Amino acid sequence: MKIPYFRFTATGKELDYVKEVLESGWLTSSSKAAYLEESFSSYCEADYALAVNSCTSALHLALESLGIKKGSKVLVPSWTFTASAEVIEYLGAEPIFCDVNYGSCSIDAEILAEQIEKHPDLSALVLVHFGGQVAPITSKQGNGILNICRKHGVKIVNDAAHAFPASFENKKIGSFGDITCFSFYANKTITCGEGGMIVTKDSGLYKRMKLMRLHGIDRDVWERFTSKTNQSDYDIVEAGFKYNLSDINAAVALAQFEIAEDLRSKRQKIAETYMEELQSLDSLDLPEINVSHEEHSWHLFNPVLNTLSKISRDELLIKLAENGIGTSIHYKPLHRMTFYKEKYDLKKEDFPESESLWKGCFSLPIFPDLQESELEYIIDTLKEILR
C-alpha cells in the first residue's frame, strides 16, 4: 500500500462555494470571509472573529493587540512549531521557553506556576493546545492555567492551530483566555490550504486586531464597497500588516467548517482503533488523553517510541516508509533549533520532558477518509516491526 501522512477530504460544498466567489467577481475578503467569521464566533461562544491568512498572522496580531513589545516577556513551550515563538520575536519581546508534560505534550498548571515564580514579570502566555487536546485550562480546585494567569496578570493567547473543533469540560476552545488563534493550513483539521482565524470576547482587542489586519486602514475594503456612503472615505491610522483572508480561501474554509464535526468524528474512530490495537506494544507510549474523546479534535495521533524499543525512532520511520506508510514528526523542540538555542543559550538538560519526547515522537496518519484496510495495514506493520 501507499498511504500518505495526510489526504485532503472535501465532501462538503467546497466547489460550490468557490464557484460562487469566482462568479461574483470579488475574490479578496468579502461575504464568504464575513460569514466564516460569524460562524466561528458563534461556535466558539466568542463575541468577535477575524479571518486571516495564517495562524502565524493570528498570533502576531494577538500579541500586538495585547501590547507585547520590546521588554515584554512571553512564556512559550519549547515543544511547538516555531510560529508560536517567532511572533514574539517580531515584536522585539523575549520568549521564555519552558518544558511540557510528557504525557499530554502541553503546559500544565504546575509548569506554569514554576515559570511565573522564576519570571514574575511575565506579560503573556502562548498556550499551545497540542495534537487537538485542550490543555488543562481550569481545575475543580481552582488552580488551573486560567486561574493562575488571572491571579498574576498574565494574558493568555491560545495557540489552537491543532484544536478545532475541541472543548474542555464543555467549554468550547475560544471561549476562554484573552484571544484564540486557529489554523487552516493544508493538513489541519479543517483547511483551505492557507488561512487562519482569531476569536475574542474583548471589543478593544478585536478593534485593534481588525485595524492592524489590513494596513492600519480604518475601514476595510469590503465595508467600503458595501457602504451606501462615500466609499473612498478612509484613513490610515497605523502602520499595519497585510493579513486578511481571500474569499476563495474563505469559501473552502467555510465548507470545511460545515462538516468539521463529521470530520472530527471520523478521526476519533481512527484514534480509538489505534489506542486499542497498539496498547499491547510495550515499546510505545500512547498519547495521554485528559478530556473526553468527543472533546478532542484528534488533529494528531502521536505515540512515542520509548527506551524498551530495540530500534530508534528514525529507524522505525524508515521501515514504515519502506512499507509505504507516511509519517511526520511533531516536533523537533525549539531549544534544539539554532536560532533560539544560540540567542538564548538554551540547554537540553533544562527541557527533560521535551527531550524524551523528541527521541521517540512520531505521528501516524489520521485523516478522515483513511480506509479500514489502510488502518489495519498501518497497525499490522507497526506490530510486525516492533515485536
Side-chain angles (χ1 to χ4, degrees):
M1 287 190 179
K2 296 292 183 182
I3 307 171
Y5 172 67
F6 178 79
R7 184 187 296 144
F8 176 52
T9 301
T11 55
K13 297 180 179 179
E14 289 87 353
L15 292 176
D16 293 337
Y17 289 167
V18 169
K19 183 180 179 182
E20 289 175 9
V21 172
L22 295 176
E23 290 178 344
S24 77
W26 188 282
L27 307 187
T28 189
S29 306
S30 62
S31 58
K32 286 290 189 290
Y35 189 65
L36 180 64
E37 290 171 343
E38 292 173 13
S39 301
F40 254 80
S41 61
S42 177
Y43 176 88
C44 294
E45 300 170 4
D47 295 318
Y48 308 98
L50 283 170
V52 289
N53 59 7
S54 72
C55 189
T56 307
S57 302
L59 292 166
H60 186 199
L61 289 171
L63 289 174
E64 197 278 341
S65 73
L66 290 169
I68 300 303
K69 57 182 186 274
K70 187 175 181 179
S72 301
K73 293 183 179 180
V74 182
L75 186 65
V76 62
S78 180
W79 193 255
T80 187
F81 184 61
T82 183
S84 307
E86 73 184 36
V87 293
I88 303 168
E89 296 281 342
Y90 293 173
L91 296 164
E94 180 183 356
I96 303 297
F97 294 97
C98 68
D99 209 356
V100 293
N101 177 285
Y102 176 83
S104 66
C105 303
S106 67
I107 293 175
D108 59 25
E110 183 178 351
I111 292 170
L112 175 61
E114 289 175 356
Q115 291 299 317
I116 289 179
E117 186 174 350
K118 291 179 183 177
H119 306 280
D121 53 348
L122 280 176
S123 298
L125 161 66
V126 176
L127 180 58
V128 179
H129 301 281
F130 182 85
Q133 177 173 228
V134 176
I137 193 74
T138 59
S139 74
K140 294 180 180 178
Q141 293 75 32
N143 60 348
I145 291 172
L146 182 62
N147 310 95
I148 294 171
C149 284
R150 290 291 179 260
K151 179 180 178 181
H152 294 276
V154 176
K155 300 295 185 180
I156 298 176
V157 173
N158 293 296
D159 183 341
H162 295 183
F164 184 84
S167 304
F168 185 82
E169 295 182 350
N170 297 316
K171 294 179 181 178
K172 298 288 188 184
I173 185 76
S175 66
F176 46 77
D178 296 281
I179 303 171
T180 300
C181 304
F182 299 97
S183 174
F184 305 150
Y185 182 65
N187 63 357
K188 291 300 190 290
T189 55
I190 67 173
T191 178
C192 60
E194 297 283 356
M197 184 66 69
I198 312 169
V199 300
T200 184
K201 293 182 177 181
D202 188 301
S203 62
L205 296 177
Y206 166 73
K207 290 176 182 177
R208 177 66 182 183
M209 290 186 290
K210 186 176 183 181
L211 174 70
M212 297 301 287
R213 176 180 63 171
L214 194 62
H215 301 300
I217 299 173
D218 63 352
R219 295 175 64 203
D220 69 41
V221 66
W222 180 241
E223 287 180 345
R224 302 202 309 272
F225 178 76
T226 56
S227 174
K228 295 180 180 180
T229 60
N230 189 351
Q231 296 181 10
S232 64
D233 183 19
Y234 69 92
D235 194 11
I236 297 172
V237 297
E238 258 293 7
F241 313 109
K242 181 67 169 68
Y243 284 168
N244 61 304
L245 184 69
S246 81
D247 242 35
I248 294 176
N249 292 88
V252 178
L254 179 59
Q256 292 266 294
F257 172 87
E258 292 173 347
I259 59 172
E261 187 52 47
D262 179 60
L263 298 178
R264 191 213 63 79
S265 179
K266 290 176 178 177
R267 291 192 300 270
Q268 177 185 328
K269 291 180 181 178
I270 295 167
E272 288 172 343
T273 300
Y274 277 141
M275 296 287 278
E276 181 178 353
E277 294 293 329
L278 298 178
Q279 63 181 333
S280 62
L281 295 175
D282 294 336
S283 58
L284 274 189
D285 291 336
L286 300 181
E288 179 183 292
I289 309 302
N290 299 313
V291 298
S292 72
H293 286 192
E294 289 70 27
E295 289 189 313
H296 201 302
S297 80
W298 300 108
H299 171 52
L300 301 179
F301 189 84
N302 55 298
V304 180
L305 199 64
N306 61 38
T307 55
L308 296 178
S309 175
K310 297 178 182 179
I311 63 173
S312 70
R313 185 270 313 280
D314 292 346
E315 290 171 328
L316 171 61
L317 298 193
I318 289 171
K319 289 181 179 292
L320 289 172
E322 289 172 347
N323 283 276
I325 299 170
T327 57
S328 189
I329 294 176
H330 298 86
Y331 291 105
K332 181 178 180 181
L334 296 184
H335 69 264
R336 281 179 164 262
M337 299 296 188
T338 299
F339 174 79
Y340 299 109
K341 179 174 64 175
E342 293 184 353
K343 182 172 183 178
Y344 297 103
D345 192 27
L346 302 178
K347 308 294 185 184
K348 292 187 289 186
E349 54 266 28
D350 292 330
F351 304 89
E353 302 297 289
S354 297
E355 280 293 300
S356 295
L357 287 166
W358 163 241
K359 291 174 184 176
C361 71
F362 65 103
S363 298
L364 291 169
I366 193 173
F367 49 85
D369 71 347
L370 185 70
Q371 300 301 300
E372 187 174 341
S373 59
E374 293 176 317
L375 180 57
E376 290 176 357
Y377 177 73
I378 294 169
I379 291 168
D380 290 344
T381 304
L382 261 177
K383 288 179 177 178
E384 183 177 343
I385 295 170
L386 293 179
R387 277 181 175 165

